[in-house]
Structures are given as C-alpha cells and as structure tokens.
Amino acid sequence: MTVTPINSEETIGTLSDGRAVKAFTLRNKNGSEARFYNLGAAFVGFRLPGMADNDNLVLGCDTLEAFIAQNANFGATIGRYANRIGHGKTRVNGQALELECNSGGHHLHGGSQGFGHLIWDSQINLENDEPSLIFTLTSPDGDAGYPGELTITQRIRLTDKDEVVIDYEATTTKPTLVNLTNHAYFNLAGEAAGTLKDHEFRVHSDTVTDIDATLLPTGELVKVENTALDLRNWRPIDQALETLDDPSLARAGGYDHNYVFGKKMEGPLTLMAEARHLPSGRWMRCSSTLPGLQFYSGGFLGGTPKNDTETYQRHGAFCMEPGAWPDSPNHDHFPDCTLTPDQTYRATLVFGFGQD
C-alpha cells in the first residue's frame, strides 16, 4: 500500500536557557518513518511499515530529560572530530592544538561539548515527494580548541528505498580538522530487546587499525583473519561479547574497532557493513564515501537511561560510524583530515533498511 509522504515537526520541550528542542519525522510513500532531533542533529528513530508505534530500530529516550542526561551520544552528529585524538594533542598546518581530554586521557568526539550537544538550525522539506531535513551549524573560530569558523550543512533524506541518506558539507575560514559522522545505535529486534541475540553481521574489510589498551591506534594496520574481528562472512557476535575470550575484544570490551576502507576522505560510495536479525528478517546496510568504519557493540551503553525507570544494557545495540580513522592527524600514513579555506568537506552516509 502506498501512503502519502509527509514531514512533521513538533516541539518536545525546552532547554534550561529556553531554547526549543524539536523532533522531526520523515515518512516516505512506503510508510517507513525516520525521526530526528535538532538537539545534536540526532537520528533517534526508524520504523519499517507494520511496526508498532512503541517499537523502534534506533535507540533513543522516551523523555527529553533522559535524552539530555544520557552520555552515549544517541544518534548524535559528531564533530569537529569524530573518534579519538591521542592525548588531546596534534597539529594542523604547523599549528599545535591542545584539545580537551574527555575520555581515557584522549580527546573524543570533539570534546564534552561537541556538535552532538548543540542545537542545530533546521529546515524541513518535501522535494519531489521525497521527505528531507536540513540541519546547519556554525562553529566559531577556537571552538573546543579548533581553529577556523566552521560552517556545516547536512541534508538528510528518506528515500523510497527505505534509505536514510546523510550528505555533509563544511567550509572553514582557517585550516582546521574535520571528521563528521552519525552515532546512531541500532537493534533490529527493537530498541528494548536488550541484547544482540539472533543478529548476524558482515563487514567488508580485512584490515583494522590496531589499538592499545586505551583504544588509541598504535599506527599499525592489522589483518582480521583468525580473530573475532573477521566479519567478512556473516557471523553472530553475542556469544563472543559474553565471553570476551578473543584478545582483540577483551582489550576494547567488545567491538570498538575501525575497519579500513581506504585513505581518501572523499571516495566512492561503498557498501561497508550489513546486519540482519534472523527471526524478524529485518536487515540494515551501511554505506559511505569515507575511509573507515567504527563498528561498536555498545560496550559503554549499560546504565544509559531510556526513561525515568528503564536503562539500556551493555551490548544492547550496535553502531556503524563511517569516518576518518581514529587519531588520523597524528599519523602521516592515515587519511588527511585537514580542511583549508579553499576546500569544501563533503561526505555521504547511507543507512538502508528492509525486511525479507
């Protein structure tokens, strides 16, 4: 049955300074729905046709209070630099940068007040029957220690193929570092399922960036063969997460690894990873133009609030975060994440959903 594509916008509350927090729902002609907040430009919901109103393939919070309290970066747009920069120190264009160390002695996800904590300007559209949403943000020169005024635009579309397509563009007034991604959490059994039981995964890469005990890259690239990180063929991961017998998983508390897909920051759109839930037949595919994919099994998710009384469990969801490789600015043989005033940063992320 074909339904009428729609966009809807509602105010769900206000921050302590009085600014409105808005929720946006995009619905395509199939009846699939994707939901976003202007707080963090966050991707917080996806439903396929026929799913119950209280079911969701993307984790979020039932109340604004819980969403503000959580520190799992639910669905957030991450920047200026997604993932880790070692010890909060690096250089850009010869200039030394001192960045906040907000995770294990390292700079993570742009710092404690990164883009996922900010209100984005928003504009909702219906173009040629395709629901879309535009978020924009201006990050001032010196924001979180990064040079240059950075202007970011992301255009989000829900296509008739049940794909959420995110197109990023950014420009700067000074040489700076840029690495944007989306931090949505998925569980194809439903957000409240609590575990990744009956899921299988496939990641189309044979190499990861090696990490130390603090999850910082050592600079080495290692093959996944003969380890639990080898997801080139369909593989369940729930038992491996329970035991953490594999040294690669024990070090990271599960999957929290960057899979290598190239070194160019603007490559071709590539199918990176897939997930499927066997009992329901639901599946998801992640594609991107970026050179890496952080596959994360929610090792730090435990205790994150869903509402006033419920919390999520450890390893209760997974993230597929395309981006540059962690700590790229500190390794010459890693992708170059420098953006100069004569350039435009561009990247595309695609999360496709379906049910067999």
Side-chain angles (χ1 to χ4, degrees):
M1 181 181 69
T2 301
V3 300
T4 302
I6 63 164
N7 290 326
S8 68
E9 174 182 335
E10 60 178 320
T11 298
I12 60 173
T14 57
L15 300 181
S16 58
D17 60 9
R19 287 179 299 163
V21 178
K22 297 181 179 181
F24 305 89
T25 300
L26 309 182
R27 187 179 76 192
N28 64 15
K29 68 180 183 180
N30 305 323
S32 295
E33 293 186 349
R35 188 170 173 87
F36 302 85
Y37 290 162
N38 65 338
L39 178 55
F43 179 20
V44 294
F46 192 91
R47 293 189 181 95
L48 288 164
M51 290 182 61
D53 289 343
N54 63 350
D55 206 356
N56 201 338
L57 302 185
V58 177
L59 272 64
C61 298
D62 298 336
T63 66
L64 177 58
E65 291 76 17
F67 187 78
I68 293 172
Q70 59 87 23
N71 58 9
N73 294 298
F74 276 153
T77 296
I78 304 296
R80 286 189 190 190
Y81 195 91
N83 223 306
R84 290 167 177 82
I85 293 179
H87 312 289
K89 296 180 179 181
T90 190
R91 304 182 72 86
V92 58
N93 201 36
Q95 176 185 351
L97 301 188
E98 292 279 348
L99 306 170
E100 176 190 8
C101 293
N102 59 313
S103 178
H106 305 303
H107 180 73
L108 178 67
H109 293 336
S112 58
Q113 294 302 309
F115 295 168
H117 299 271
L118 305 179
I119 294 284
W120 291 60
D121 292 331
S122 55
Q123 179 181 339
I124 198 164
N125 300 299
L126 192 63
E127 303 172 2
N128 300 318
D129 283 342
E130 185 176 83
S132 67
L133 174 63
I134 296 175
F135 284 125
T136 57
L137 181 73
T138 298
S139 172
D141 184 13
D143 189 12
Y146 291 92
E149 180 181 273
L150 188 73
T151 301
I152 312 106
T153 300
Q154 56 174 307
R155 181 170 180 256
I156 301 169
R157 295 175 287 130
L158 176 58
T159 73
D160 291 338
K161 296 180 179 180
D162 294 333
E163 294 174 331
V164 173
V165 181
I166 304 175
D167 292 309
Y168 296 114
E169 286 194 1
T171 57
T172 183
T173 59
K174 297 178 182 178
T176 193
L177 300 174
V178 181
N179 178 30
L180 305 176
T181 195
N182 185 277
H183 206 300
Y185 288 75
F186 305 97
N187 189 311
L188 300 181
E191 63 175 343
T195 73
L196 294 176
K197 183 177 183 293
D198 297 322
H199 282 69
E200 291 183 343
F201 297 90
R202 185 161 62 175
V203 179
H204 301 282
S205 170
D206 63 1
T207 304
V208 296
T209 48
D210 189 33
I211 54 175
D212 64 19
T214 67
L215 307 186
L216 189 71
T218 64
E220 293 187 42
L221 307 183
V222 297
K223 297 297 184 181
V224 299
E225 190 172 7
N226 297 322
T227 75
L229 300 181
D230 190 350
L231 301 175
R232 290 173 294 176
N233 297 308
W234 286 108
R235 183 172 187 167
I237 66 172
D238 54 321
Q239 292 299 316
L241 292 176
E242 283 187 16
T243 62
L244 296 180
D245 287 340
D246 188 284
S248 301
L249 300 187
R251 186 182 306 136
Y255 291 86
D256 197 358
H257 297 78
N258 171 66
Y259 286 79
V260 171
F261 286 87
K263 291 187 178 180
K264 293 183 178 180
M265 285 298 291
E266 190 175 352
L269 186 66
T270 299
L271 176 62
M272 291 180 159
E274 303 170 83
R276 63 188 182 189
H277 180 244
L278 300 180
S280 67
R282 295 172 186 156
W283 52 263
M284 193 196 93
R285 296 170 183 152
C286 177
S287 304
S288 178
T289 58
L290 290 163
L293 177 80
Q294 191 79 11
F295 178 57
Y296 173 52
S297 61
F300 300 103
L301 182 61
T304 301
K306 185 178 189 297
N307 50 44
D308 293 340
T309 59
E310 297 176 282
T311 60
Y312 289 106
Q313 298 180 37
R314 188 187 192 202
H315 301 311
F318 65 92
C319 301
M320 294 177 176
E321 307 163 60
W325 306 353
D327 203 31
S328 279
N330 289 322
H331 300 274
D332 290 341
H333 58 297
F334 281 19
D336 184 0
C337 301
T338 305
L339 181 70
T340 59
D342 61 332
Q343 298 173 319
T344 299
Y345 172 94
R346 292 184 176 89
T348 297
L349 280 58
V350 181
F351 300 105
F353 300 86
Q355 187 166 11
D356 293 330

